[in-house]
Amino acid sequence: MSRRPGARRIAGRVNADFLPVTSSRDDFLRDTDEFRVFDNAMRKEVDKLLISVKKEGDNKANLQASRVLKDAMHLVGNAMRRRKELFPAAQVPFGEADAVSSKQGYDVSQATYVDAGSQLDSTLANRLGIDKKKKQARGRPSAVLGDKSVIRHLRVANMDVAVRMEHLGADEDESLRSGGIIFLNLDHPLYTLYRDNDELLSLHLTRVLTKEITLSIGDVSAPQAFAIQSELLTDALRRKRKSI
């Protein structure tokens, strides 16, 4: 049972003095009816505990994803508010929203949770489906925490930037755009590396968001795009430092 995913996170003690032991008294006699009944009962109990542990881990990971995304979007929203001239609405392919009435000059929506992998546009669903088959051929992937995708919107002026935290797979890019939505990869090695530190996760997402938003600008050269992202990221991180 100890080889099962998550089993090592469970610790406890069971009094089984009714089981026959070996002559050296350092183990149970395993080839007995008593031990088989005991082993079967314990496996069922461990199954229940593993479900509970996984659910608790999923809930914690879902809330963390929502929390760090909100923090990153506030940083980016402030930076975009200060540099609105960099983002003519006609050139940003994220649709339009009503004018933002927030005193901050931008608005970050409440989180919406959907089942991971659900409600994807056909292009992305097909892409991830193909990748999933490849991963299955290589063997079982490591356990992943979080069973929900988190969706938030960032509204600045008349722009509406939709962002979704999604399990795209460790082999996928850190972010991509599909169906007018920015997808941030919860399985990317950098995200999993920083998972124990909310501040580092927030900074990671801030960098990725500024990259994707900059790439959404119209006809600009690569040097111009890098310069715009640098300005946005610098402004966002400067504000982050002041708030610490």
Side-chain angles (χ1 to χ4, degrees), residues 14-150:
V14 178
N15 184 8
D17 56 2
F18 57 89
L19 292 175
V21 297
T22 61
S23 58
S24 60
R25 307 188 68 80
D26 60 356
D27 197 3
F28 298 114
L29 290 173
R30 296 175 179 267
D31 190 21
T32 63
D33 290 339
E34 293 91 339
F35 184 82
R36 281 188 283 270
V37 171
F38 171 76
D39 183 61
N40 185 56
M42 289 305 303
R43 287 179 183 275
K44 291 180 180 179
E45 291 302 316
V46 169
D47 284 341
K48 295 177 184 178
L49 290 172
L50 288 176
I51 292 173
S52 178
V53 169
K54 180 64 165 63
K55 185 176 181 180
E56 181 181 348
D58 284 340
N59 289 338
K60 183 178 179 180
N62 295 336
L63 291 174
Q64 181 190 41
S66 175
R67 185 171 61 247
V68 296
L69 177 59
K70 178 181 179 181
D71 188 33
M73 293 179 83
H74 274 293
L75 293 175
V76 175
N78 260 304
M80 291 181 69
R81 175 182 61 83
R82 294 171 182 271
R83 301 303 307 274
K84 285 187 292 187
E85 74 279 2
L86 298 175
F87 303 97
Q91 295 181 353
V92 181
F94 297 117
E96 296 183 352
D98 295 334
V100 176
S101 59
S102 170
K103 293 180 180 179
Q104 296 172 311
Y106 69 92
D107 179 68
V108 176
S109 72
Q110 294 292 319
T112 299
Y113 296 90
V114 298
D115 291 337
S118 67
Q119 302 179 29
L120 301 176
D121 67 272
S122 58
T123 300
L124 181 57
N126 290 336
R127 171 177 171 174
L128 296 180
I130 294 173
D131 288 348
K132 184 177 180 181
K133 292 178 181 178
K134 291 180 180 178
K135 292 172 186 175
Q136 289 175 341
R138 292 198 298 267
R140 184 180 64 82
S142 58
V144 174
L145 289 177
D147 60 349
K148 298 292 184 181
S149 297
V150 183

Side-chain angles (χ1 to χ4, degrees), residues 182-237:
I182 296 175
F183 286 83
L184 304 181
N185 190 359
L186 289 164
D187 302 325
H188 190 270
L190 284 180
Y191 188 92
T192 57
L193 176 65
Y194 300 143
R195 192 161 51 195
D196 293 333
N197 189 313
D198 277 15
E199 184 174 348
L200 290 179
L201 268 184
S202 175
L203 295 178
H204 165 65
L205 296 182
T206 301
R207 177 187 61 79
V208 178
L209 280 175
T210 55
K211 177 192 72 174
E212 288 293 344
I213 291 172
T214 300
L215 290 174
S216 302
I217 299 177
D219 187 17
V220 296
S221 65
Q224 288 174 317
F226 279 118
I228 292 171
Q229 185 198 11
S230 177
E231 291 182 38
L232 276 179
L233 190 57
T234 299
D235 191 286
L237 298 187

